[in-house]
Amino acid sequence: MTAARGAAPLLEIDALSVSIGAARILKSVSLEVGAGEILGLVGASGSGKSMTALAVMQLLPAHARLTGAVRLRGETLTGKTDAELQGIRGRELGIVFQEPMTALNPLMCIGDQVAETVRLHLSGGQRQRVAIAMAVVLAPPLLMADEPTTALDVGTQAEVLRLLKELAHTRNMGLILVSHDLAVVAQVTDRFAVMHQGEIVEQGPTQQLLRHLQHPYGKALLAAADLRPKRAAASRESSPAVLQVRDVVHEYPRRRRSLWHAATALRAVDGVSLVIHAGETVALVGESGSGKSSLLRVVLALERPQAGEVRLLGDALSTAKGAALRRLRRSIQVVFQDPYGSFDPQWSVERLIAEPFFLLDSPPAAAERRRQVATVLEQVGLSAADARRFPHEFSGGQRQRIAIARALITQPSVIAFDEAVSALDVLVRAQILELLAELAARLNLAYLFVSHDLHVVRSIADRVYVMQQGRIVEHGSADEVFGAPRHAYTQALIAATPRLG
């Protein structure tokens, strides 16, 4: 839906520029949004998308300098005092952030008991709905959603996007959807604008612009978003099995509800079996709460199963202890979604990458340690000199390369990836996926790729296991699972995945 022809725009952003110190963050940004219209704002990390949303809300960082104008229903917001803006934010302008957990204050509005429930028991999608409800409770004419579905599985993402679209159209509310995901933008928006280095480089009606992108940066975003399935590879089932999961059951204890109710166990993993062969990439997919993370913790020997076993290179990993467990752990490493959260910010890159050497009976001496760190840094596309730097000096994509280097340092046979590219923008994501494919081929690495992003999974996996309510409901080659899914749950996941076309 678009604004009526000739109607005054709901929101006008006119030649908006923002500088912090000597850095120009936004450069003469001009946009319009009509009532009932959904505008997408697309670009890679650092392009200025979120800063534009914050500038509209007049929530800029301290010492930021702003020129240009923001007008809502003809009223100029720029230059207003905080006291004046307090009456506008919420009532006239709503905003939904990427991570609702950090946006919800558990001590305000909904009471301590409800807030405790929100913090501890609601899913990510439910928390995002609470955040949306808080943003629209006063029926503002304009809502901004800043990456509202990035951390959500495909089913929940589809529900949240459907809710946002319905709110915009039934309430005649303008909506700015900030995203790095062109497929999401293609599904939801009426128009979108491409941002690059703080500037709008291209904008227009969504489907028309997708077919006729002109700017090189816009074309690069489209190419990176349009991931292609990997070429059919020869079956690796004749290769040795490096990881075997057999009939694993994992349960978590639950509190007793009362004196009259016995405590029951939550069965997060219910008789799961899977196998990964040398040089093979196996994906484990499913919605939040399906049991993927619980199974991964068992595979990594961070939790012990109540039944079944995990074997790594033929040895029992799930029952190993002490020195035997340390020796096995050097052969299976992990890369997490947020490497920054798993890095000590006070450690140098060399120390971070060398950390897994504690798994070795005889860690290398200082000179050899530096040589090995330099080798893995170069393997992931960084330089030996980067070993002397600290995590905050790198971009998100570079930090993920450092995390991959840390996983490589013990020369493992298997690397597990826990949503390792879900927080990256499409350009960086494409680079990391290309790196992973190159490393797997060159080093004969096996990957366990845990993800809710089926678009990414189809581009990288040889075989796929689909998990629902703790069980594997379907598995097969990537072509079989995506081309002719048999289980209704798999079919629903694929149907919910945003597409560019």
Side-chain angles (χ1 to χ4, degrees), residues 31 78 93-94 105 115 117 169 232 246 250 258 280 289 343 347 378 403 432 466 487:
L31 289 169
T78 42
L93 281 170
N105 187 331
T117 301
H169 291 171
R246 296 175 178 168
H250 186 52
S258 70
E280 184 179 38
F343 289 165
W347 284 15
E378 290 168 355
I432 294 297
V466 182
H487 197 277

Side-chain angles (χ1 to χ4, degrees), residues 54-69:
L54 291 174
V56 170
M57 293 290 290
Q58 299 293 286
L59 290 173
L60 292 171
H63 311 303
R65 299 189 309 279
L66 181 148
T67 60

Side-chain angles (χ1 to χ4, degrees), residues 72-83:
L72 181 64
R73 297 205 285 201
E75 181 180 4
T76 300
L77 304 185
T78 42
K80 285 188 179 294
T81 66
D82 283 341

Side-chain angles (χ1 to χ4, degrees), residues 118-424:
V118 169
R119 285 196 302 111
L120 299 180
H121 299 292
L122 295 188
S123 68
Q126 289 168 324
R127 288 196 298 266
Q128 195 60 286
R129 289 185 185 90
V130 171
I132 292 169
M134 292 172 63
V136 302
V137 67
L138 297 179
L142 180 70
L143 178 67
M144 285 177 295
D146 189 1
E147 301 279 9
T149 63
T150 296
L152 303 180
D153 61 61
V154 290
T156 307
Q157 174 181 258
E159 293 172 7
V160 169
L161 291 173
R162 188 161 48 245
L163 172 60
L164 288 171
K165 192 170 184 176
E166 180 181 321
L167 285 169
H169 291 171
T170 60
R171 296 190 178 195
N172 203 31
M173 178 181 70
L175 172 62
I176 298 178
L177 179 65
V178 177
S179 180
H180 65 256
D181 192 333
L182 267 177
V184 166
V185 167
Q187 295 290 304
V188 176
T189 64
D190 301 302
R191 294 186 301 112
F192 77 93
V194 179
M195 289 201 75
H196 179 49
Q197 296 180 351
E199 297 181 276
I200 302 294
V201 296
E202 206 159 0
Q203 61 178 303
T206 297
Q207 296 306 319
Q208 178 181 329
L209 188 55
L210 283 172
R211 290 192 297 269
H212 302 290
L213 283 164
Q214 299 297 315
H215 195 277
Y217 181 73
K219 291 179 178 179
L221 283 180
L222 183 62
D226 190 19
L227 294 172
R228 300 292 181 179
K230 65 187 300 181
R231 292 181 179 176
S235 171
R236 297 184 181 273
E237 293 184 8
S238 60
S239 301
V242 292
L243 182 71
Q244 296 166 292
V245 177
R246 296 175 178 168
D247 303 317
V248 162
V249 172
H250 186 52
E251 299 177 335
Y252 295 103
R254 288 196 280 202
R255 294 179 182 176
R256 295 180 62 173
R257 288 186 291 159
S258 70
L259 293 174
W260 298 274
H261 293 87
T264 58
L266 171 65
R267 182 162 288 195
V269 181
D270 190 3
V272 167
S273 297
L274 61 82
V275 63
I276 304 177
H277 301 273
E280 184 179 38
T281 296
V282 168
L284 180 65
V285 303
E287 294 179 294
S288 300
S290 62
K292 305 189 307 295
S293 296
S294 295
L295 178 60
L296 181 60
R297 290 184 64 81
V298 172
V299 167
L300 295 172
L302 299 175
E303 307 258 4
R304 291 190 180 275
Q306 279 72 38
E309 67 171 356
V310 178
R311 301 190 76 85
L312 180 64
L313 302 176
D315 294 323
L317 175 63
S318 50
T319 55
K321 298 180 181 179
L325 178 59
R326 287 197 305 275
R327 282 195 296 273
L328 282 173
R329 275 186 169 154
R330 67 172 293 182
S331 295
I332 184 167
Q333 293 292 302
V334 62
V335 177
F336 296 102
Q337 176 178 349
D338 177 18
Y340 198 63
S342 63
F343 289 165
D344 187 323
Q346 299 182 33
W347 284 15
S348 69
V349 166
E350 180 182 333
R351 187 177 178 186
L352 289 168
I353 292 176
E355 184 182 16
F357 280 146
F358 82 92
L359 296 170
L360 307 183
D361 293 331
S362 300
E368 176 61 15
R369 182 184 69 236
R370 285 192 292 272
R371 187 194 68 78
Q372 291 190 34
V373 167
T375 296
V376 293
L377 279 171
E378 290 168 355
Q379 283 178 330
V380 300
L382 298 173
S383 71
D386 288 325
R388 298 189 293 273
R389 300 168 65 190
F390 291 84
H392 72 272
E393 299 179 71
F394 296 87
S395 68
Q398 289 172 323
R399 285 197 290 265
Q400 200 61 292
R401 289 174 185 267
I402 293 168
I404 296 168
R406 181 170 63 176
L408 290 172
I409 196 70
T410 60
Q411 299 179 350
S413 299
V414 183
I415 299 179
F417 295 88
D418 187 10
E419 303 286 3
V421 298
S422 64
L424 303 177

